[in-house]
Amino acid sequence: MKHFFLASLIAGAMALPAFAADYSIIAPAGPGGGWDQTARSLQTVLQDEKISGSVQVVNVPGAGGTIGLAQFASQNSGNPNALIVGGYVMVGAILTNQSPVTLKDVTPIARLTGEYEAIVVPAASPIQNMDDLVKALKADPGAVSWAGGSAGGTDHIAVGLIAKAAGVDPTKINYVAYAGGGEALAAILGNQVTAGISGYGEFEAQVKAGALRLIAISSAERIEGIDAPTIKEGGLDVVVENWRMVAAAPGLSAEQVSAINADIEKAVNSEAWKGILKTKGWQNTYLAGDAFKEQLDKDIAATESILKDIGLVK
């Protein structure tokens, strides 16, 4: 009887889902922004697809993600259960903030998504289209205030490129950086700024509700399901795509990195993840392993060049 009981316990244990280790994901920004949404979307899929039994998301905002990055790198060396989301914004912030901790101090796992920049104005704004905004920018660059994410991030780079393409000195732009998408959105809705710039997903609900007017998108061609012309259609040769990634802690073994890669791959290949991409208007830009590391090095070099070109980095 005792042997039968033990055999039953073993069989029962084997029948249970074989969860990976519980994960903790740092979203290095305030609630509501793209990194927060990415972390919580990943949390949902890892749990709902039974890839992990429990996933916790912790917000550590500030300085374009570099505060969260520094905390993550210093506190989690060798910890295979710790993840952090980041992306193009963080690449720029590391350079502009001269951060002592960089993406070389963590273990890049995969690029997850891409998202084009959307330019919006309050519904009551006299600015009806990109042409109106460019005219105002040319007349007085400092009088046109832009709400976006962290200094040196994708939003800031896009505004600088728009100014440059319009023949305006990029160093004269009046860019107001916010730590989280929620704060930037509140400033735009409160008519505290002329325009807002961020990923379309962060403005979609307010655009559909009529509280914001979407005047341009930073894609090369119009995007199905998004009723807006491209910046290029407005006469400016500017195309910008933000991307987001997930990284693991430093000091991991090859086996630990492989296990994390396998979990993330399962998540991004799931129907649940594909549904989230569609709902949020994110593009699938999944790239993992050495291929992602090589692309990341190229993106860092290109970003440094752009930031120097528009005067954000010396």
Side-chain angles (χ1 to χ4, degrees), residues 174-191:
N174 181 6
Y175 183 81
V176 186
Y178 290 88
E183 294 175 21
L185 182 60
I188 303 161
L189 291 170
N191 293 288

Side-chain angles (χ1 to χ4, degrees), residues 30 54 59 105 117 153-154 163 167 177 186 214 236 243 256 264 281:
S54 175
N59 293 91
D105 297 304
E117 296 287 287
T154 318
L214 176 60
L236 305 178
W243 52 262
Q256 289 171 324
I264 297 301

Side-chain angles (χ1 to χ4, degrees), residues 30-42:
W35 287 342
D36 181 63
Q37 291 183 47
T38 301
R40 294 184 190 280
S41 296
L42 197 55

Side-chain angles (χ1 to χ4, degrees), residues 21-31 34-48 51-61 68-69 71-73 75-76 79-87 90 109-110 112 244-249 260 263-264 267-268 273 276:
D22 294 344
Y23 285 113
S24 177
I25 306 175
I26 283 187
W35 287 342
D36 181 63
Q37 291 183 47
T38 301
R40 294 184 190 280
S41 296
L42 197 55
Q43 174 191 42
T44 297
V45 173
L46 286 169
Q47 291 179 156
D48 289 357
I51 298 167
S52 180
S54 175
V55 181
Q56 180 184 14
V57 173
V58 180
N59 293 91
V60 185
L69 179 68
Q71 178 179 310
F72 176 80
Q75 296 181 2
N76 291 288
N79 180 3
N81 303 342
L83 300 174
I84 184 170
V85 297
M90 186 180 282
I109 295 296
L112 299 173
R244 299 190 181 107
M245 59 166 272
V246 62
I260 295 168
D263 285 343
I264 297 301
V268 300
W273 181 257
I276 287 172

Side-chain angles (χ1 to χ4, degrees), residues 184-243:
L185 182 60
I188 303 161
L189 291 170
N191 293 288
Q192 297 169 28
V193 292
T194 309
I197 183 164
S198 189
Y200 173 71
E202 296 189 36
F203 297 139
E204 183 178 25
Q206 288 72 28
V207 168
K208 289 184 174 178
L212 295 177
R213 181 182 304 120
L214 176 60
I215 62 173
I217 198 92
S218 70
S219 52
E221 300 175 349
R222 290 202 182 205
I223 299 175
E224 184 180 352
I226 298 179
D227 185 19
T230 66
I231 296 173
K232 292 187 77 169
E233 286 179 66
L236 305 178
D237 189 14
V238 175
V239 176
V240 179
E241 184 180 20
N242 187 14
W243 52 262

Side-chain angles (χ1 to χ4, degrees), residues 86-92 152-154 157 240-243 299 303 306:
Y88 192 18
V89 172
M90 186 180 282
V91 171
T154 318
I157 288 172
V240 179
E241 184 180 20
N242 187 14
W243 52 262
D299 288 346
T303 302
I306 292 169

Side-chain angles (χ1 to χ4, degrees), residues 111-178:
R111 187 180 66 196
L112 299 173
T113 65
E115 186 176 22
Y116 293 108
E117 296 287 287
I119 299 173
V120 299
V121 294
S125 171
I127 294 171
Q128 298 294 315
N129 49 46
M130 196 65 192
D131 188 50
D132 289 344
L133 185 58
V134 170
K135 284 178 180 176
L137 190 64
K138 286 182 175 180
D140 186 353
V144 178
S145 53
W146 304 75
S150 305
T154 318
D155 304 340
H156 200 168
I157 288 172
V159 174
L161 291 174
I162 288 168
K164 187 180 177 186
V168 174
D169 183 352
T171 63
K172 299 289 176 60
I173 59 175
N174 181 6
Y175 183 81
V176 186
Y178 290 88

